[in-house]
Amino acid sequence: MIKNEKIKASEVQLTGLNGEDLGIIATREALAMAKRLKVDLVCTSLMSSPPPCKLIGAGQAKQEALQEKQQARKLEQGPKVKEIRLTPQIEDHDLETKRQQAERILQSGDAVMLVVKISGKEGAKAKELLEMLLRDLSPLGRKRTGIQLSGKQAAVQLDPL
């Protein structure tokens, strides 16, 4: 972010405090206007000629740059995987609560790992339960892998759409 005297162009495309277009102005005049209004002259892009600049309140320019950095970092990290644990003998009300929890997680942009703890011959029942949840959650997410039965648990991961 280039501010005030560091702008080297001879003229700039100036935007006012309220977003109004002030046209192409000599950089010296734009700096004088910024000082008179007690604000900063900030260059938004160096890729065009004349470069577009805005008049922004002193603290606001730093805050905008910080927000852009935070957004970039958030997008860079990608979705988190949150696990929801179930049992094959789950009651209807509890299942509905877990479904709603999974919906909230998917809507917030994170992935959900649905894990059903099994013991003995409950594998078929667990797979059936996961298939039912996948059908219910299909408008919000798609499965990354198939249902995986391994030892004492059955699991499937849903990614947000």
Side-chain angles (χ1 to χ4, degrees):
M1 177 169 57
I2 300 172
K3 292 187 343 184
N4 300 330
E5 284 78 22
K6 292 182 182 171
I7 299 171
K8 300 293 181 199
S10 58
E11 53 187 21
V12 295
Q13 176 72 41
L14 190 62
T15 305
L17 283 169
N18 300 322
E20 69 276 7
D21 185 30
L22 300 175
I24 297 174
I25 298 178
T27 306
R28 252 179 286 161
E29 284 180 46
L31 283 169
M33 188 184 300
K35 280 186 179 160
R36 201 171 46 245
L37 295 171
K38 294 186 174 123
V39 293
D40 286 329
L41 179 67
V42 179
C43 184
T44 54
S45 171
L46 295 172
M47 296 300 148
S48 61
S49 181
C53 293
K54 294 194 293 190
L55 293 173
I56 297 179
Q60 193 177 355
K62 282 184 182 178
Q63 197 168 4
E64 279 184 14
L66 185 67
Q67 284 177 348
E68 284 177 20
K69 249 187 207 177
Q70 286 174 343
Q71 286 285 33
R73 193 178 314 126
K74 194 173 186 180
L75 291 173
E76 186 180 290
Q77 286 178 351
K80 295 177 185 164
V81 179
K82 302 203 176 178
E83 187 174 298
I84 295 179
R85 294 182 182 182
L86 310 150
T87 60
Q89 306 83 283
I90 192 166
E91 297 287 326
D92 291 338
H93 177 266
D94 295 334
L95 181 62
E96 184 60 33
T97 303
K98 296 287 188 179
R99 183 184 299 118
Q100 289 173 357
Q101 187 180 5
E103 286 175 3
R104 279 195 303 274
I105 292 170
L106 287 169
Q107 286 170 344
S108 72
D110 291 327
V112 176
M113 175 74 82
L114 297 168
V115 178
V116 180
K117 296 280 184 190
I118 52 179
S119 60
K121 298 177 181 175
E122 296 174 330
K125 198 171 182 183
K127 192 171 182 179
E128 192 178 301
L129 179 68
L130 286 175
E131 286 171 351
M132 185 178 67
L133 279 169
L134 286 173
R135 267 195 315 276
D136 294 344
L137 296 171
S138 63
L140 299 169
R142 64 179 177 280
K143 61 181 179 178
R144 174 180 281 187
T145 59
I147 297 173
Q148 300 167 337
L149 285 167
S150 59
K152 297 186 178 187
Q153 69 180 22
V156 65
Q157 182 172 334
L158 280 167
D159 288 338
L161 292 177

PDB file of all heavy atoms in Angstrom, residues 127-155:
ATOM      1  N   LYS A 127     -23.528 -48.760   8.725  1.00  0.00           N
ATOM      2  CA  LYS A 127     -23.454 -48.327   7.326  1.00  0.00           C
ATOM      3  C   LYS A 127     -24.790 -47.731   6.888  1.00  0.00           C
ATOM      4  O   LYS A 127     -24.846 -46.706   6.206  1.00  0.00           O
ATOM      5  CB  LYS A 127     -23.063 -49.516   6.443  1.00  0.00           C
ATOM      6  CG  LYS A 127     -22.687 -49.136   5.050  1.00  0.00           C
ATOM      7  CD  LYS A 127     -22.094 -50.321   4.309  1.00  0.00           C
ATOM      8  CE  LYS A 127     -21.692 -49.870   2.920  1.00  0.00           C
ATOM      9  NZ  LYS A 127     -21.088 -50.930   2.139  1.00  0.00           N
ATOM     10  N   GLU A 128     -25.887 -48.374   7.298  1.00  0.00           N
ATOM     11  CA  GLU A 128     -27.235 -47.899   6.978  1.00  0.00           C
ATOM     12  C   GLU A 128     -27.467 -46.502   7.577  1.00  0.00           C
ATOM     13  O   GLU A 128     -28.016 -45.610   6.925  1.00  0.00           O
ATOM     14  CB  GLU A 128     -28.234 -48.903   7.551  1.00  0.00           C
ATOM     15  CG  GLU A 128     -29.654 -48.741   7.084  1.00  0.00           C
ATOM     16  CD  GLU A 128     -30.541 -49.828   7.689  1.00  0.00           C
ATOM     17  OE1 GLU A 128     -30.264 -51.014   7.465  1.00  0.00           O
ATOM     18  OE2 GLU A 128     -31.494 -49.454   8.400  1.00  0.00           O
ATOM     19  N   LEU A 129     -27.034 -46.308   8.825  1.00  0.00           N
ATOM     20  CA  LEU A 129     -27.168 -45.020   9.504  1.00  0.00           C
ATOM     21  C   LEU A 129     -26.396 -43.929   8.763  1.00  0.00           C
ATOM     22  O   LEU A 129     -26.914 -42.831   8.532  1.00  0.00           O
ATOM     23  CB  LEU A 129     -26.653 -45.156  10.945  1.00  0.00           C
ATOM     24  CG  LEU A 129     -26.679 -43.916  11.827  1.00  0.00           C
ATOM     25  CD1 LEU A 129     -28.119 -43.517  12.141  1.00  0.00           C
ATOM     26  CD2 LEU A 129     -25.928 -44.161  13.111  1.00  0.00           C
ATOM     27  N   LEU A 130     -25.160 -44.229   8.361  1.00  0.00           N
ATOM     28  CA  LEU A 130     -24.345 -43.252   7.633  1.00  0.00           C
ATOM     29  C   LEU A 130     -24.949 -42.923   6.264  1.00  0.00           C
ATOM     30  O   LEU A 130     -24.947 -41.760   5.849  1.00  0.00           O
ATOM     31  CB  LEU A 130     -22.906 -43.767   7.468  1.00  0.00           C
ATOM     32  CG  LEU A 130     -22.048 -43.726   8.728  1.00  0.00           C
ATOM     33  CD1 LEU A 130     -20.703 -44.377   8.480  1.00  0.00           C
ATOM     34  CD2 LEU A 130     -21.861 -42.308   9.235  1.00  0.00           C
ATOM     35  N   GLU A 131     -25.484 -43.930   5.572  1.00  0.00           N
ATOM     36  CA  GLU A 131     -26.117 -43.691   4.268  1.00  0.00           C
ATOM     37  C   GLU A 131     -27.329 -42.773   4.411  1.00  0.00           C
ATOM     38  O   GLU A 131     -27.554 -41.890   3.581  1.00  0.00           O
ATOM     39  CB  GLU A 131     -26.514 -45.012   3.612  1.00  0.00           C
ATOM     40  CG  GLU A 131     -25.327 -45.770   3.058  1.00  0.00           C
ATOM     41  CD  GLU A 131     -25.664 -47.169   2.588  1.00  0.00           C
ATOM     42  OE1 GLU A 131     -26.806 -47.654   2.845  1.00  0.00           O
ATOM     43  OE2 GLU A 131     -24.781 -47.790   1.973  1.00  0.00           O
ATOM     44  N   MET A 132     -28.093 -42.958   5.492  1.00  0.00           N
ATOM     45  CA  MET A 132     -29.255 -42.109   5.739  1.00  0.00           C
ATOM     46  C   MET A 132     -28.810 -40.651   5.996  1.00  0.00           C
ATOM     47  O   MET A 132     -29.383 -39.713   5.454  1.00  0.00           O
ATOM     48  CB  MET A 132     -30.051 -42.632   6.945  1.00  0.00           C
ATOM     49  CG  MET A 132     -31.335 -41.874   7.201  1.00  0.00           C
ATOM     50  SD  MET A 132     -32.275 -42.543   8.568  1.00  0.00           S
ATOM     51  CE  MET A 132     -31.208 -42.171   9.938  1.00  0.00           C
ATOM     52  N   LEU A 133     -27.757 -40.486   6.800  1.00  0.00           N
ATOM     53  CA  LEU A 133     -27.238 -39.142   7.068  1.00  0.00           C
ATOM     54  C   LEU A 133     -26.691 -38.496   5.794  1.00  0.00           C
ATOM     55  O   LEU A 133     -26.881 -37.300   5.567  1.00  0.00           O
ATOM     56  CB  LEU A 133     -26.147 -39.194   8.142  1.00  0.00           C
ATOM     57  CG  LEU A 133     -26.631 -39.264   9.578  1.00  0.00           C
ATOM     58  CD1 LEU A 133     -25.483 -39.578  10.521  1.00  0.00           C
ATOM     59  CD2 LEU A 133     -27.308 -37.972   9.987  1.00  0.00           C
ATOM     60  N   LEU A 134     -26.014 -39.281   4.951  1.00  0.00           N
ATOM     61  CA  LEU A 134     -25.491 -38.754   3.685  1.00  0.00           C
ATOM     62  C   LEU A 134     -26.619 -38.256   2.790  1.00  0.00           C
ATOM     63  O   LEU A 134     -26.498 -37.199   2.157  1.00  0.00           O
ATOM     64  CB  LEU A 134     -24.673 -39.824   2.953  1.00  0.00           C
ATOM     65  CG  LEU A 134     -23.300 -40.128   3.513  1.00  0.00           C
ATOM     66  CD1 LEU A 134     -22.694 -41.325   2.803  1.00  0.00           C
ATOM     67  CD2 LEU A 134     -22.387 -38.934   3.394  1.00  0.00           C
ATOM     68  N   ARG A 135     -27.726 -38.997   2.740  1.00  0.00           N
ATOM     69  CA  ARG A 135     -28.882 -38.572   1.936  1.00  0.00           C
ATOM     70  C   ARG A 135     -29.427 -37.240   2.468  1.00  0.00           C
ATOM     71  O   ARG A 135     -29.731 -36.333   1.704  1.00  0.00           O
ATOM     72  CB  ARG A 135     -29.984 -39.625   1.985  1.00  0.00           C
ATOM     73  CG  ARG A 135     -29.953 -40.629   0.867  1.00  0.00           C
ATOM     74  CD  ARG A 135     -31.261 -41.411   0.754  1.00  0.00           C
ATOM     75  NE  ARG A 135     -31.793 -41.892   2.026  1.00  0.00           N
ATOM     76  CZ  ARG A 135     -31.416 -43.021   2.632  1.00  0.00           C
ATOM     77  NH1 ARG A 135     -30.502 -43.776   2.074  1.00  0.00           N
ATOM     78  NH2 ARG A 135     -31.961 -43.385   3.769  1.00  0.00           N
ATOM     79  N   ASP A 136     -29.554 -37.144   3.800  1.00  0.00           N
ATOM     80  CA  ASP A 136     -30.128 -35.939   4.401  1.00  0.00           C
ATOM     81  C   ASP A 136     -29.223 -34.725   4.227  1.00  0.00           C
ATOM     82  O   ASP A 136     -29.702 -33.594   4.110  1.00  0.00           O
ATOM     83  CB  ASP A 136     -30.393 -36.161   5.895  1.00  0.00           C
ATOM     84  CG  ASP A 136     -31.480 -37.206   6.139  1.00  0.00           C
ATOM     85  OD1 ASP A 136     -32.222 -37.524   5.177  1.00  0.00           O
ATOM     86  OD2 ASP A 136     -31.577 -37.696   7.273  1.00  0.00           O
ATOM     87  N   LEU A 137     -27.911 -34.936   4.233  1.00  0.00           N
ATOM     88  CA  LEU A 137     -26.957 -33.822   4.156  1.00  0.00           C
ATOM     89  C   LEU A 137     -26.481 -33.529   2.728  1.00  0.00           C
ATOM     90  O   LEU A 137     -25.662 -32.635   2.528  1.00  0.00           O
ATOM     91  CB  LEU A 137     -25.753 -34.104   5.054  1.00  0.00           C
ATOM     92  CG  LEU A 137     -26.048 -34.195   6.551  1.00  0.00           C
ATOM     93  CD1 LEU A 137     -24.835 -34.703   7.306  1.00  0.00           C
ATOM     94  CD2 LEU A 137     -26.501 -32.858   7.102  1.00  0.00           C
ATOM     95  N   SER A 138     -26.990 -34.272   1.734  1.00  0.00           N
ATOM     96  CA  SER A 138     -26.530 -34.091   0.355  1.00  0.00           C
ATOM     97  C   SER A 138     -26.720 -32.669  -0.205  1.00  0.00           C
ATOM     98  O   SER A 138     -25.903 -32.231  -1.000  1.00  0.00           O
ATOM     99  CB  SER A 138     -27.178 -35.116  -0.572  1.00  0.00           C
ATOM    100  OG  SER A 138     -28.567 -34.940  -0.611  1.00  0.00           O
ATOM    101  N   PRO A 139     -27.760 -31.884   0.199  1.00  0.00           N
ATOM    102  CA  PRO A 139     -27.859 -30.512  -0.331  1.00  0.00           C
ATOM    103  C   PRO A 139     -26.741 -29.592   0.176  1.00  0.00           C
ATOM    104  O   PRO A 139     -26.453 -28.583  -0.449  1.00  0.00           O
ATOM    105  CB  PRO A 139     -29.213 -30.006   0.175  1.00  0.00           C
ATOM    106  CG  PRO A 139     -29.960 -31.198   0.634  1.00  0.00           C
ATOM    107  CD  PRO A 139     -28.962 -32.242   0.964  1.00  0.00           C
ATOM    108  N   LEU A 140     -26.097 -29.941   1.300  1.00  0.00           N
ATOM    109  CA  LEU A 140     -25.085 -29.067   1.895  1.00  0.00           C
ATOM    110  C   LEU A 140     -23.655 -29.532   1.650  1.00  0.00           C
ATOM    111  O   LEU A 140     -22.719 -28.727   1.742  1.00  0.00           O
ATOM    112  CB  LEU A 140     -25.314 -28.959   3.408  1.00  0.00           C
ATOM    113  CG  LEU A 140     -26.653 -28.360   3.818  1.00  0.00           C
ATOM    114  CD1 LEU A 140     -26.884 -28.537   5.301  1.00  0.00           C
ATOM    115  CD2 LEU A 140     -26.692 -26.894   3.457  1.00  0.00           C
ATOM    116  N   GLY A 141     -23.470 -30.835   1.397  1.00  0.00           N
ATOM    117  CA  GLY A 141     -22.108 -31.330   1.225  1.00  0.00           C
ATOM    118  C   GLY A 141     -22.064 -32.588   0.398  1.00  0.00           C
ATOM    119  O   GLY A 141     -23.068 -33.259   0.212  1.00  0.00           O
ATOM    120  N   ARG A 142     -20.871 -32.889  -0.109  1.00  0.00           N
ATOM    121  CA  ARG A 142     -20.697 -34.127  -0.875  1.00  0.00           C
ATOM    122  C   ARG A 142     -19.619 -34.964  -0.204  1.00  0.00           C
ATOM    123  O   ARG A 142     -18.679 -34.422   0.375  1.00  0.00           O
ATOM    124  CB  ARG A 142     -20.338 -33.831  -2.322  1.00  0.00           C
ATOM    125  CG  ARG A 142     -19.007 -33.131  -2.495  1.00  0.00           C
ATOM    126  CD  ARG A 142     -18.707 -32.893  -3.963  1.00  0.00           C
ATOM    127  NE  ARG A 142     -17.476 -32.158  -4.104  1.00  0.00           N
ATOM    128  CZ  ARG A 142     -17.340 -30.859  -3.965  1.00  0.00           C
ATOM    129  NH1 ARG A 142     -18.394 -30.119  -3.693  1.00  0.00           N
ATOM    130  NH2 ARG A 142     -16.170 -30.270  -4.109  1.00  0.00           N
ATOM    131  N   LYS A 143     -19.757 -36.286  -0.312  1.00  0.00           N
ATOM    132  CA  LYS A 143     -18.810 -37.143   0.387  1.00  0.00           C
ATOM    133  C   LYS A 143     -17.482 -37.177  -0.355  1.00  0.00           C
ATOM    134  O   LYS A 143     -17.437 -37.234  -1.581  1.00  0.00           O
ATOM    135  CB  LYS A 143     -19.375 -38.545   0.602  1.00  0.00           C
ATOM    136  CG  LYS A 143     -19.722 -39.316  -0.632  1.00  0.00           C
ATOM    137  CD  LYS A 143     -20.295 -40.657  -0.244  1.00  0.00           C
ATOM    138  CE  LYS A 143     -20.679 -41.427  -1.506  1.00  0.00           C
ATOM    139  NZ  LYS A 143     -21.180 -42.739  -1.187  1.00  0.00           N
ATOM    140  N   ARG A 144     -16.404 -37.095   0.409  1.00  0.00           N
ATOM    141  CA  ARG A 144     -15.060 -37.134  -0.159  1.00  0.00           C
ATOM    142  C   ARG A 144     -14.674 -38.577  -0.456  1.00  0.00           C
ATOM    143  O   ARG A 144     -14.105 -38.867  -1.486  1.00  0.00           O
ATOM    144  CB  ARG A 144     -14.052 -36.506   0.813  1.00  0.00           C
ATOM    145  CG  ARG A 144     -12.615 -36.644   0.327  1.00  0.00           C
ATOM    146  CD  ARG A 144     -11.651 -36.041   1.276  1.00  0.00           C
ATOM    147  NE  ARG A 144     -11.648 -34.593   1.077  1.00  0.00           N
ATOM    148  CZ  ARG A 144     -10.802 -33.781   1.678  1.00  0.00           C
ATOM    149  NH1 ARG A 144      -9.924 -34.245   2.528  1.00  0.00           N
ATOM    150  NH2 ARG A 144     -10.837 -32.488   1.446  1.00  0.00           N
ATOM    151  N   THR A 145     -14.984 -39.461   0.488  1.00  0.00           N
ATOM    152  CA  THR A 145     -14.657 -40.878   0.321  1.00  0.00           C
ATOM    153  C   THR A 145     -15.920 -41.681   0.546  1.00  0.00           C
ATOM    154  O   THR A 145     -16.917 -41.160   1.047  1.00  0.00           O
ATOM    155  CB  THR A 145     -13.614 -41.321   1.371  1.00  0.00           C
ATOM    156  OG1 THR A 145     -14.152 -41.079   2.672  1.00  0.00           O
ATOM    157  CG2 THR A 145     -12.309 -40.563   1.216  1.00  0.00           C
ATOM    158  N   GLY A 146     -15.887 -42.955   0.215  1.00  0.00           N
ATOM    159  CA  GLY A 146     -17.013 -43.821   0.508  1.00  0.00           C
ATOM    160  C   GLY A 146     -17.036 -44.134   1.996  1.00  0.00           C
ATOM    161  O   GLY A 146     -16.156 -43.722   2.751  1.00  0.00           O
ATOM    162  N   ILE A 147     -18.041 -44.865   2.410  1.00  0.00           N
ATOM    163  CA  ILE A 147     -18.133 -45.273   3.818  1.00  0.00           C
ATOM    164  C   ILE A 147     -17.054 -46.314   4.082  1.00  0.00           C
ATOM    165  O   ILE A 147     -16.968 -47.319   3.387  1.00  0.00           O
ATOM    166  CB  ILE A 147     -19.532 -45.825   4.137  1.00  0.00           C
ATOM    167  CG1 ILE A 147     -20.570 -44.710   3.946  1.00  0.00           C
ATOM    168  CG2 ILE A 147     -19.583 -46.385   5.548  1.00  0.00           C
ATOM    169  CD1 ILE A 147     -22.001 -45.159   4.070  1.00  0.00           C
ATOM    170  N   GLN A 148     -16.214 -46.039   5.066  1.00  0.00           N
ATOM    171  CA  GLN A 148     -15.087 -46.920   5.371  1.00  0.00           C
ATOM    172  C   GLN A 148     -15.372 -47.690   6.656  1.00  0.00           C
ATOM    173  O   GLN A 148     -15.485 -47.080   7.722  1.00  0.00           O
ATOM    174  CB  GLN A 148     -13.805 -46.096   5.524  1.00  0.00           C
ATOM    175  CG  GLN A 148     -13.452 -45.327   4.279  1.00  0.00           C
ATOM    176  CD  GLN A 148     -12.393 -44.276   4.512  1.00  0.00           C
ATOM    177  OE1 GLN A 148     -12.197 -43.814   5.626  1.00  0.00           O
ATOM    178  NE2 GLN A 148     -11.719 -43.898   3.445  1.00  0.00           N
ATOM    179  N   LEU A 149     -15.481 -49.012   6.556  1.00  0.00           N
ATOM    180  CA  LEU A 149     -15.654 -49.875   7.719  1.00  0.00           C
ATOM    181  C   LEU A 149     -14.278 -50.394   8.102  1.00  0.00           C
ATOM    182  O   LEU A 149     -13.611 -51.039   7.296  1.00  0.00           O
ATOM    183  CB  LEU A 149     -16.566 -51.050   7.396  1.00  0.00           C
ATOM    184  CG  LEU A 149     -18.057 -50.744   7.302  1.00  0.00           C
ATOM    185  CD1 LEU A 149     -18.795 -51.901   6.675  1.00  0.00           C
ATOM    186  CD2 LEU A 149     -18.616 -50.439   8.667  1.00  0.00           C
ATOM    187  N   SER A 150     -13.835 -50.058   9.317  1.00  0.00           N
ATOM    188  CA  SER A 150     -12.512 -50.525   9.738  1.00  0.00           C
ATOM    189  C   SER A 150     -12.549 -50.850  11.227  1.00  0.00           C
ATOM    190  O   SER A 150     -12.714 -49.961  12.054  1.00  0.00           O
ATOM    191  CB  SER A 150     -11.459 -49.467   9.450  1.00  0.00           C
ATOM    192  OG  SER A 150     -11.762 -48.273  10.119  1.00  0.00           O
ATOM    193  N   GLY A 151     -12.427 -52.109  11.551  1.00  0.00           N
ATOM    194  CA  GLY A 151     -12.339 -52.513  12.945  1.00  0.00           C
ATOM    195  C   GLY A 151     -13.536 -52.121  13.771  1.00  0.00           C
ATOM    196  O   GLY A 151     -14.620 -52.675  13.621  1.00  0.00           O
ATOM    197  N   LYS A 152     -13.349 -51.125  14.628  1.00  0.00           N
ATOM    198  CA  LYS A 152     -14.401 -50.762  15.575  1.00  0.00           C
ATOM    199  C   LYS A 152     -15.168 -49.503  15.200  1.00  0.00           C
ATOM    200  O   LYS A 152     -15.859 -48.923  16.033  1.00  0.00           O
ATOM    201  CB  LYS A 152     -13.786 -50.590  16.951  1.00  0.00           C
ATOM    202  CG  LYS A 152     -13.170 -51.875  17.477  1.00  0.00           C
ATOM    203  CD  LYS A 152     -12.705 -51.721  18.882  1.00  0.00           C
ATOM    204  CE  LYS A 152     -12.162 -53.047  19.359  1.00  0.00           C
ATOM    205  NZ  LYS A 152     -11.842 -53.047  20.753  1.00  0.00           N
ATOM    206  N   GLN A 153     -15.023 -49.061  13.929  1.00  0.00           N
ATOM    207  CA  GLN A 153     -15.773 -47.864  13.544  1.00  0.00           C
ATOM    208  C   GLN A 153     -16.066 -47.844  12.041  1.00  0.00           C
ATOM    209  O   GLN A 153     -15.380 -48.484  11.259  1.00  0.00           O
ATOM    210  CB  GLN A 153     -15.025 -46.586  13.945  1.00  0.00           C
ATOM    211  CG  GLN A 153     -13.762 -46.322  13.180  1.00  0.00           C
ATOM    212  CD  GLN A 153     -13.093 -45.036  13.636  1.00  0.00           C
ATOM    213  OE1 GLN A 153     -13.327 -44.560  14.737  1.00  0.00           O
ATOM    214  NE2 GLN A 153     -12.256 -44.478  12.791  1.00  0.00           N
ATOM    215  N   ALA A 154     -17.109 -47.103  11.701  1.00  0.00           N
ATOM    216  CA  ALA A 154     -17.451 -46.827  10.301  1.00  0.00           C
ATOM    217  C   ALA A 154     -17.399 -45.308  10.156  1.00  0.00           C
ATOM    218  O   ALA A 154     -17.883 -44.582  11.028  1.00  0.00           O
ATOM    219  CB  ALA A 154     -18.838 -47.337   9.988  1.00  0.00           C
ATOM    220  N   ALA A 155     -16.769 -44.812   9.091  1.00  0.00           N
ATOM    221  CA  ALA A 155     -16.574 -43.374   8.953  1.00  0.00           C
ATOM    222  C   ALA A 155     -16.791 -42.934   7.510  1.00  0.00           C
ATOM    223  O   ALA A 155     -16.568 -43.687   6.569  1.00  0.00           O
ATOM    224  CB  ALA A 155     -15.192 -42.981   9.422  1.00  0.00           C
TER     225      ALA A 155
END
